[in-house]
């Protein structure tokens, strides 16, 4: 099983920064994980989606142009759709600030 760490996540976010929507979605999930008030089931969904993004072995490998990240985006978007009611305005602000710091 892949170990989700801050360093691995940050390296991945930087490497795909050109794919803004993908990174914004990932950072939004990341802020939910870091928030102590986020329920465990929401953190589980977010962490699972982030692991899928970070893991090099997935349905469509990332080295395949466009398609390699499209499946990652679909996983992140699905995760966000399922936990959307847990996303607060301050999570969006934190994610935007993190994106700008990449």
């Amino acid at each position: 099983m892949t170990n989700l760490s801050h360093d691995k996540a940050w390296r991945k976010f930087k490497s795909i920064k050109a794919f803004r929507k993908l990174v914004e979605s990932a950072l939004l999930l990341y802020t939910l994980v870091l928030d102590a008030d986020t329920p465990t089931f929401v953190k589980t969904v977010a962490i699972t989606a982030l692991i899928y993004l970070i893991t090099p072995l997935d349905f469509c490998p990332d080295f395949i142009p466009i398609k390699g990240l499209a499946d990652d985006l679909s996983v992140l978007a699905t995760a966000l759709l399922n936990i959307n009611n847990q996303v607060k305005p301050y999570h969006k602000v934190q994610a935007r600030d993190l994106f700008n710091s990449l």
Side-chain angles (χ1 to χ4, degrees):
M1 182 169 185
T2 297
N3 213 5
L4 179 63
S5 71
H6 174 77
D7 291 337
K8 279 185 180 181
W10 208 249
R11 280 193 304 273
K12 183 65 173 192
F13 298 158
K14 281 185 172 186
S15 75
I16 60 173
K17 186 177 179 184
F19 297 91
R20 185 176 185 106
K21 184 63 178 169
L22 178 66
V23 176
E24 287 174 344
S25 298
L27 290 172
L28 189 51
L29 289 168
Y30 193 68
T31 61
L32 286 165
V33 171
L34 296 178
D35 186 347
D37 294 331
T38 300
T40 302
F41 84 94
V42 173
K43 287 185 179 190
T44 302
V45 170
I47 289 169
T48 302
L50 290 170
I51 287 173
Y52 187 85
L53 171 67
I54 293 168
T55 303
L57 302 173
D58 54 29
F59 182 71
C60 191
D62 293 347
F63 65 83
I64 299 172
I66 308 298
K67 288 184 180 185
L69 294 175
D71 70 316
D72 294 334
L73 180 58
S74 67
V75 168
L76 297 179
T78 301
L80 283 169
L81 280 173
N82 284 295
I83 58 175
N84 192 42
N85 62 334
Q86 298 294 320
V87 177
K88 309 294 185 239
Y90 64 88
H91 292 126
K92 292 178 182 180
V93 171
Q94 288 173 338
R96 191 176 320 115
D97 290 345
L98 286 171
F99 183 86
N100 291 332
S101 72
L102 288 177

